[in-house]
Amino acid sequence: MNNTVLDIQHLAVSFYLPQGEVKAVRGVSLSLEEGEIVVLAGESGCGKSALCRSIVKLLPRYAVVKSGHIVIGGHDITQYTEKDMQAVRGLEVGMVFQNPLTTLNPVLSIGTQLAEALKRRTSAGARELNEQAVGLLEQVGIQQGKERLAMMPAEFSGGQRQRITLAIALASQPRLLIADEPTTALDVTVQLRMIDLLRNLAKNSGLTVLLVTHDLGVAARIADRVGIMYAGKLVEIGTTEEIFSDPRHPYTQGLLAALPSAARVHKRLRSIPGMPPDMLHVPAGDAFANRNPRAMAIDYEEEPPFFSLSRTHRAATWTLDPRAPEEVRCPDGRKKDE
Amino acid sequence: MKVPYKAIGKNIAVFFISLAVLSGVVFFAASYAPGDPLQSYYGDAVDQMSTAQYEAARHRWGLDQPVYKQYFQWVDRSLHGEMGMSLKYREPASRVIHDFVGNTLFLGIVSYILIFISAIVVAVCCVLYEGRWLDTLLSETGTILFYLPAFWVGLLLILIFNVNLGWLPGSGAYDPGEAGNWGSRAEHIVLPVIVMLISHVWYYAYMIRNKLLDETRKDYVLLAKMKGLGRLKIVLSHCLRNVAPTIFSVMAIGVNHIVGGTYVVEAVFAYPGLGNLAVESAKYHDYNVLMLVVLLTGAVVIAAGLAAQAVSARLDKRMKTEGGTAWTKTNGHLPS
Amino acid sequence: MNEPLLRVEHIKKYFTLPSGRLLKAVDDLSFSVRTGETIGIIGESGCGKSTLARVLAGMITPTAGNLYFKGQCIPAGKRNRNLQRAIHLVFQDSDSAFDPRMSVRESLKEALYLSGQAQGEDNRRIAELLQQVGLENRYVHAYPSELSGGQRQRAAIARALATRPQLLIADEPVASLDVSIQAQIINLLADLQEQEKFSMLFIAHDLAVVRHISDRTLVMLAGKIMEIGPTEDLFTHPAHVYTQLLSDSILPAKPHKESIAMTPHLWGKDISAAGCLQEIRPGHYVRREI
Amino acid sequence: MDKNERAFTVVGAGRRKEPDVIPVSPWRQVIADIPRVSAVILLLVVLGCILAPCIANHDPEAFYLQHLNEPPNHEFYFGTDMLGRDIFSVLWYGGRLSLVIGVLATVVSSGIGMVYGCVSGTAPDWLDSALMRIAEILCSIPYLLLQLLLLACIGQAHVISISLVIGVTTWMNLARIVRSEVRQIRGSEYVLAARAMGGGFFYILRHHLLPNFISPVLFMLVSSIGISMTMEATLSFLGIGLPTEVTSWGTMLALSTRALMTDSWWIIIIPGCFLIITLLCITHIGHHLRREINRGSSNL
Amino acid sequence: GSQGGNAGKTLTFAGPDYKTLNSILNTHDELPSLIFSGLMKYDGQNKPVPDLATSYDFDKNTLTYTFHLRKNVTWHDGQPFTADDVKFTLDTLRLNKDIDDEISDNYKEIKAVDVVDPQTVKVELSKPSAAMLDYLTIGILPKHCLEGKDIMTDPFNQKPIGTGRYKFVSWDKGQSIILQKNDKYYGTIPKIDRLIFKIIPDETAKAAQLKSGGADVALLNAKDAATFRNNNHFKVYDCQTADFRAIGPNFKNPYWQNPEHQALIPVLGYALDKKAIIAGVLNGEGEAAYSPIQLNAVYNDPTMDHMDYNPTLFKQRMAALGWKLGSDGIYEKNGEKLSFSVDARDFEEERVDMAKIASAQFKKLGVDMKVNVVPKFNWKTMQCCLIGQATPFDPDAGLYNFFYTGAGANYTDYSNSAVDAALAAGRNSYDVGMRKNAYIQFQKAWSAHPAFIMIAFIHGNYVATNKVTGLTTDRILGHHAAGIFWNVENWDISE
Ligand SMILES: Nc1ncnc2c1ncn2[C@@H]1O[C@H](COP(=O)(O)OP(=O)(O)OP(=O)(O)O)[C@@H](O)[C@H]1O
Ligand SMILES: Nc1ncnc2c1ncn2[C@@H]1O[C@H](COP(=O)(O)OP(=O)(O)OP(=O)(O)O)[C@@H](O)[C@H]1O
Ligand SMILES: [Mg+2]
Ligand SMILES: [Mg+2]
């Protein structure tokens, strides 16, 4: 497979805090093909950001990649130094961060900030840089780029700022774009435009996108494939269709069921009881077991392996084990829905 | 561009009001201090004067009037450019000051510039090596040096570099009679400036360091890293730009601290400057000189404050969104 | 008709920005809240939702306008303890809603103390409150920083309930939470409303949530009401352009890549907040230019 | 198979007991990991000063005129000064004064600074800016000059008056920080909430403002102890501080400058070391108090 | 040391700051005596000899001095020096009310000054004044510069013009004063071309300056001087001075107006171990003192009680006065503790040290004396001061002013009719035998009711680099060891 852009193997990342070791990522394997949009979803604190940041080695100093490999464009960057990474960042991988209000430097004009990124690829003069910058802004849907280059980030709205960060990420023409919850802070209307923009980019220029969100609506709209994370592990991954219409991990099922959907009229939502585990003390076995009303004894003891359901669909849960009782494998809740 | 007349006018008003308040405070404080200003003029002879003589002398210097009247007379006279006589030197106060201003300015400005350059350099080093040996080393040495009494350091330096090694002069502002010789002046301020650096750099470096550390925790640093920029470059071209308003307001406060610092240094190095003069005139109740020194320093400090405020407001529009003046917003970390 | 619990009349909150510009965060709002009902408030970020909430909860004084609490007129800025106790706010950001130096217990105790409730029964009442919001008792001495977002939000609700409010204003209570916890909180609010029979103003930017929980919905833009009406009516037949834009932007959690057309025709459109409210259906008002 | 069957029986949620929450009071946490070495050294120094009469092996006020300028030896552990005083004994007694001055000056300055800052921070805008302007003007007079004026007013300086003077001239910075902290906290939502629930001004001050701004302020207080001690030394050096027969570390240092030319390193270095080590310990503890608020990690 | 080779031989002296260089406003310091010259000057034995006058006649009957002035003397600015200048100066001293009484009191016996011709001037006295020739050593001021001006504030005081050996060149405030030799000087023209007075008020700094080569000559504290004694590059000149140190009770203060307390003054001297103080503070560079004129070979009475340290005697005397030791080891009488304070000025380290040791010694014997270190003496209010005075010349030049009731330099308001009588007798007589008698009477009266508790006469420890030659230790120097420059024209400095 020579068009694999990103290949992550058994990645484990821990933060060493005074209180102990936070196992933020616990053995995640994932690979992205060229032009593909993969969405990682899962609730807060399940390690999505940690995963993204370890791809570009932007983890804090007390974070340690404990095992695993990251291969970007055929190069294993696991052992790369800070200097080596400078060549990878921007050129190979671009990243859009969570909060558009803080990711732009408030005291530099956006022209300057764009130019910094543009300079990675060209040694063009100031005028040419400006032209390219205007082009980029237009690409992300900001008109009258010429006048706006001199403006400060504060003079833009949140949505515009988010698009500017996207433009900056795209400026050095990376093959892979990592977008870590790019839309959480935005209005629904702006969010929609962002998503469509990304989708167009992937389609038209073959950009590979790894998008992180916990909004399943976003995932449904944009993704080719969706991965669900829970407590530092990828618990289920499959095409969008597979995940949304045939979720297999009890957590995925619970998540989908908990969405307030327009169809439901009665006042109660179906919720998953309990809280996600504290990553300081990750329990043995399936981390979700304690919230799963149909958890089996083995869930509390042994980590489930991945069970493949199709070429693209895998899930790590004992419910898929042939030994599991019938009621667990086909929970009635799901049946009723279909 | 629109000229902000209103803002300029307001600043000028604030400036003069502050000066008026300042002069009032010092005038009243000084006149209620015990001790007889006449003594600096007549020497111990004051004690031998008859009552009539004494009253005549007081009348001559206007000391028999109520303090507030004296103050207004003083204001009136100073508005006409007449700053009164120095009772101690028996010369017009302005002439006494005149001889000292240049020296202090030279020492002050050189120290000021070097202090802030070094503070920024030290702060950047600390930030680049945060939590590692260089940061720890700089922090610890900085703290020690900051707490060392400046006079003590100065004397040790004199002992080493002047007395024992004989490399540098240890007193005065220039070789006798060489007032116009900048080489000689420069040579003479080396040790004082080093003492100023030792006792001041860390104070500011620490503030800037903390502000910079806060900046490095901001998300735009990540974005800059994602552009492939190096750490030094990020600190210099991104973080430093963000703390610039802080640095400016710190620099405004710094004017006062550094002026205060020169007092001690001038005393140690027998450097003929305003600091020495101020200490002397306060000790000997030479009000006219004291007032002039205080007003002069006050004017510089207040003007610097206002300037810094204007500059930071320019640099950073966000500062405008909060009330108060520039210096109320810098969180000093070490008290002074 | 019987008097609503709270009637808001021509309430305004203007901020003077340092630049001298007047920011009309809440601009002449009038509506009423009936006993026991839930009103959802939606609108883009910065349209004045939180400001409205704070004005109603008495945290900031409005520039102008009156409140009628159970028919009794309370002019701007003159609130009495009764009203103060009757309305309580659950903050948007549970992170800053608690004093970091007070444990959950202390925070709840403070609320009890300030609302003048019986002193002796503190412990019992606190246990009861925690149980009501489903926060396990073992968290009672924990500090806010030791709680997860969902737990903090529960504690915040517990604090709001401590004063036995008649109107609970929930300012984006689920904005920072995940789907699974969000469902818990929404269920909790609904349950509590049933038990305690309070009215609720529910502010959110997630339309699906608002649609789920509220009886009536109020759409705000630039400090003004754009549309207000029964939720189902409003969502199924949005009358104002802005409401249409919002409801079109809802992303249902269904794979629908090709099926839903984008809505570019609305994007470039200037949405005007001018005009005045007109009743188009019973109880359903829309701002229209005349 | 039997085992498998048991493993695959549904047991339901909540089987695992969640780890207990052991709440750590923010205060407890601060105290728990105070820098040990600094605390111990500081404690030793303070104890030494308190127990000076037991530790000193000579009369600190006596002039051993037979033993002028002796380097450290078995009788005079730290040597004697030019007038034959036993440095070792004088140090412990001097430390008492220095510490008292440091603490007293800090109490004064923090008293004024905190009240002023609180008033300014909670006052309406016009009063706030007026108050801050006044502080600013006071700040623009070099503090040394102010101290000079005040000491001149008071006359002969003694421990109390000098602490007062140092305190009265150094509160501005603290006031400013308290003010900005108060302003920040005052706008925070928990204060709004408490106010909306009917908490009065003093209730909020006592229950929310004070506990929350005390930590940044504590750092200022602690380092202000050190700074006051240095300041006292400087005043002594300029000849406007404590009378020289009153021994504090400051006057010792100020006097030691006279030994400069006589190669008596012990007169110069030893008091300096004592001062610096004490101040360093104090600062370490101060820094620790400040650092307590976790500010996350650098992105650099 | 000798910077500025272009200026020829340069000598740098490190010393204290000046306020004025006017000879009649500043009689204590060195510089006016270099810039100005008087009708008379002191020789190596501290005897007045003619200077600007070539000779003088004295008419005992009319009490009139007639001075014959040198011809062709010019001021530094080229104007001729005439008798008018003399008259102007002496009249100013007599008549200008602003002039310090400490100085003008010496001239109050002058009745009139008459200019006979440009080279002759007559000074007529109203009463005999034995030390008038001493007083006429005061530097003569140029009339053409000062006539009609306010002598107290005229810029002249900072840019003086004199007739002396050195011309004023420049004054960098707080830094240095530069003098250039006067090539037109009527006497021996000095060998050293330039004198630089570096202003170094701090004692240690002076030593540092010497050691680092920043100064060639300086007056040092005994202890700092000691560090130069074994140094081959320096020579220490231990000059005897008439400068004594004492604890001076201030009779303006009610404490000492109380006869009970006054009675203590002669007794307290026995409680002071002066030798120990001299050894401790002055490194042995001084002599125990008992009388203000004990160094005067002519007028001293060596049979006087030397007031040596004598605790037993002290205790006896105290008991006799009715003081008893209290439980805290401090004397008390009528329920009042024996407790007073002494002020010492901060810049005079040796005096501070003396005060401290004296205080400790007193404490041991039951006297509580607190030491206040002050920037300057407040003569109105302080209880005691650590005083220093000197009478290097004629005993009248000093004693009268210090101890005569109401005299100009009698700052402590000492008043003793027997002393007054003796001093007046000494002043108003020209007969050496009578005068000697008068001063013995003075000493008797004085030691019965002393103005001061004497401590020590101190040495002036001048330290100079080896390059400097010509300094002598022959002369008894004055207050603050002033007068070392008396033979500056003989000094030389090698490169
Ligand atoms: N800088 C850090 N220091 C310490 N712990 C961290 C840090 N960043 C993340 N963690 C911990 O690592 C785990 C995973 O965090 P991560 O930020 O990857 O979550 P996430 O899925 O991105 O959550 P969110 O949706 O809130 O962004 C969490 O338990 C978090 O507490
Ligand atoms: N104290 C204040 N001073 C000045 N302007 C303010 C203040 N509080 C709010 N505003 C402004 O009022 C407007 C409305 O703010 P508000 O917080 O009510 O919006 P919101 O609808 O709650 O937005 P969000 O969805 O982001 O919470 C915003 O433009 C905000 O900047
Ligand atoms: Mg994240
Ligand atoms: Mg809001």
Side-chain angles (χ1 to χ4, degrees), chain C residues 46 49-51 92 171-172 203:
Chain C
K49 304 186 293 288
S50 300
T51 308
Q92 178 166 9
D171 187 3
E172 309 201 20
I203 301 173

Side-chain angles (χ1 to χ4, degrees), chain B residues 140 155 206 216 256 327 332-333, chain D residues 136 139 176-177 219 257 287:
Chain B
E140 295 295 321
L155 288 163
Y206 184 74
T216 62
N256 181 39
W327 75 246
H333 295 295
Chain D
E136 200 173 331
C139 245
R176 188 171 100 207
I177 285 169
F219 163 75
T257 59
H287 275 288

Side-chain angles (χ1 to χ4, degrees), chain E residues 90-333:
Chain E
L90 294 180
D91 282 349
T92 306
L93 280 167
R94 283 188 317 133
L95 305 173
N96 191 325
K97 287 284 163 275
D98 283 343
I99 305 279
D100 200 341
D101 283 350
E102 177 179 350
I103 298 164
S104 59
D105 260 11
N106 291 337
Y107 303 90
K108 67 183 180 193
E109 280 86 4
I110 298 181
K111 194 159 76 185
V113 183
D114 295 317
V115 177
V116 179
D117 63 56
Q119 255 65 55
T120 317
V121 66
K122 273 193 169 143
V123 178
E124 197 182 333
L125 306 187
S126 55
K127 264 196 272 183
S129 175
M132 185 51 75
L133 286 177
D134 281 66
Y135 302 141
L136 291 177
T137 54
I138 196 155
I140 300 298
L141 298 174
K143 182 181 178 190
H144 68 275
C145 293
L146 284 166
E147 193 169 29
K149 307 245 173 78
D150 177 3
I151 194 152
M152 304 297 282
T153 58
D154 198 79
F156 177 87
N157 298 340
Q158 276 78 34
K159 289 200 283 284
I161 288 166
T163 49
R165 293 160 285 185
Y166 280 90
K167 294 193 278 203
F168 173 82
V169 177
S170 67
W171 184 349
D172 291 329
K173 283 273 153 52
Q175 278 241 87
S176 60
I177 299 169
I178 301 180
L179 305 184
Q180 180 77 32
K181 80 172 172 198
N182 178 6
D183 289 317
K184 305 222 174 69
Y185 184 57
Y186 49 82
T188 322
I189 293 177
K191 297 178 189 140
I192 296 175
D193 301 276
R194 250 160 101 87
L195 283 184
I196 295 175
F197 277 74
K198 261 199 181 170
I199 296 166
I200 315 276
D202 184 69
E203 296 289 339
T204 318
K206 278 196 273 186
Q209 281 291 313
L210 267 181
K211 210 162 243 173
S212 67
D216 301 309
V217 184
L219 172 67
L220 296 187
N221 274 345
K223 281 180 180 166
D224 287 326
T227 63
F228 288 91
R229 286 188 195 278
N230 297 324
N231 191 325
N232 292 331
H233 303 291
F234 295 94
K235 188 160 187 310
V236 182
Y237 298 86
D238 299 317
C239 304
Q240 222 187 13
T241 72
D243 197 9
F244 64 83
R245 297 286 175 264
I247 295 167
N250 181 16
F251 297 99
K252 286 197 183 89
N253 188 296
Y255 189 86
W256 298 110
Q257 285 160 6
N258 183 344
E260 293 273 14
H261 298 146
Q262 274 183 20
L264 288 167
I265 300 172
V267 181
L268 286 172
Y270 296 114
L272 280 187
D273 185 351
K274 295 165 193 162
K275 298 239 161 57
I277 295 180
I278 290 167
V281 178
L282 300 175
N283 251 26
E285 294 293 326
E287 282 141 52
Y290 54 89
S291 155
I293 51 167
Q294 79 191 60
L295 292 189
N296 195 310
V298 184
Y299 296 104
N300 181 36
D301 175 10
T303 61
M304 263 183 71
D305 179 6
H306 284 202
M307 301 289 292
D308 285 331
Y309 180 53
N310 195 339
T312 14
L313 185 59
F314 173 73
K315 282 174 196 154
Q316 282 171 14
R317 291 280 187 92
M318 287 303 278
L321 288 172
W323 293 84
K324 294 200 179 57
L325 279 177
S327 58
D328 55 351
I330 301 294
Y331 275 111
E332 52 188 33
K333 184 176 179 182

Side-chain angles (χ1 to χ4, degrees), chain B residues 60-318:
Chain B
R60 179 174 168 199
W61 298 108
L63 297 168
D64 53 347
Q65 312 243 7
V67 180
Y68 72 91
K69 267 199 187 148
Q70 288 181 39
Y71 175 66
F72 286 119
Q73 278 170 2
W74 177 86
V75 171
D76 184 47
R77 273 186 284 117
S78 12
L79 288 181
H80 292 94
E82 241 226 75
M83 307 303 291
M85 291 291 275
S86 156
L87 291 184
K88 184 185 167 213
Y89 286 94
R90 299 173 191 176
E91 275 191 280
S94 48
R95 204 161 75 210
V96 175
I97 293 257
H98 178 264
D99 294 340
F100 292 79
V101 169
N103 299 337
T104 293
L105 272 186
F106 185 50
L107 173 63
I109 291 174
V110 171
S111 321
Y112 189 76
I113 293 171
L114 288 182
I115 283 171
F116 279 100
I117 292 177
S118 338
I120 291 174
V121 170
V122 169
V124 167
C125 286
C126 284
V127 167
L128 285 178
Y129 292 90
E130 190 199 342
R132 280 179 249 182
W133 65 270
L134 187 61
D135 182 27
T136 316
L137 183 81
L138 285 174
S139 301
E140 295 295 321
T141 7
T143 315
I144 293 179
L145 293 183
F146 171 75
Y147 277 118
L148 281 178
F151 68 88
W152 196 68
V153 177
L155 288 163
L156 286 186
L157 288 184
I158 291 178
L159 187 62
I160 298 170
F161 292 103
N162 176 237
V163 177
N164 287 342
L165 298 174
W167 291 351
L168 292 162
S171 90
Y174 42 83
D175 288 328
E178 305 272 321
N181 181 345
W182 288 95
S184 167
R185 279 177 177 270
E187 200 182 45
H188 276 77
I189 63 163
V190 173
L191 288 182
V193 165
I194 292 178
V195 175
M196 291 293 285
L197 286 177
I198 285 180
S199 52
H200 285 85
V201 165
W202 182 243
Y203 182 84
Y204 300 107
Y206 184 74
M207 276 191 204
I208 299 172
R209 167 184 176 269
N210 280 352
K211 282 282 166 195
L212 274 180
L213 285 183
D214 287 344
E215 284 306 313
T216 62
R217 277 141 180 84
K218 300 247 169 94
D219 287 343
Y220 68 78
V221 173
L222 287 177
L223 183 68
K225 278 197 120 175
M226 277 313 295
K227 292 180 195 163
L229 299 183
R231 287 153 49 80
L232 182 63
K233 178 111 208 266
I234 294 175
V235 173
L236 292 184
S237 63
H238 283 264
C239 302
L240 217 47
R241 286 286 278 271
N242 275 282
V243 298
T246 314
I247 295 182
F248 276 108
S249 28
V250 166
M251 282 175 79
I253 311 168
V255 173
N256 181 39
H257 282 186
I258 289 170
V259 169
T262 58
Y263 283 25
V264 179
V265 169
E266 286 178 2
V268 175
F269 290 95
Y271 190 91
L274 289 187
N276 250 339
L277 193 61
V279 174
E280 292 275 296
S281 14
K283 262 188 181 172
Y284 296 102
H285 307 287
D286 199 349
Y287 298 153
N288 287 329
V289 173
L290 183 65
M291 291 294 290
L292 209 51
V293 176
V294 170
L295 279 189
L296 219 59
T297 23
V300 172
V301 172
I302 296 170
L306 292 173
Q309 198 183 334
V311 171
S312 352
R314 263 281 141 90
L315 273 182
D316 186 348
K317 298 224 173 73
R318 289 171 306 172

Side-chain angles (χ1 to χ4, degrees), chain A residues 44 193 224 268-269 272, chain C residues 178 184 187 191 257 262 267:
Chain A
S44 187
R193 298 169 74 173
D224 295 316
R268 283 196 64 85
L269 293 172
I272 311 172
Chain C
D178 323 296
Q184 293 176 0
N187 286 343
D191 292 349
K257 261 193 214 165
M262 289 190 249
W267 280 11

Side-chain angles (χ1 to χ4, degrees), chain C residues 103-104 138-146, chain D residues 20-26 28-29:
Chain C
S103 63
V104 172
R138 64 200 175 97
Y139 292 108
V140 72
H141 290 294
Y143 287 88
S145 58
E146 292 163 330
Chain D
D20 258 354
V21 182
I22 304 156
V24 191
S25 141
R28 188 83 53 77
Q29 210 170 349

Side-chain angles (χ1 to χ4, degrees), chain A residues 15 17 22 24 42-51 53 60 62 98 180-181 212 214 279, chain C residues 178, chain D residues 297:
Chain A
F15 294 99
L17 302 184
V22 175
E43 57 200 304
S44 187
C46 69
K48 307 183 296 286
S49 298
L51 178 64
R53 291 179 63 169
Y62 49 84
Q98 194 157 351
D180 186 3
E181 310 201 29
V212 170
H214 56 231
M279 303 292 273
Chain C
D178 323 296
Chain D
S297 74

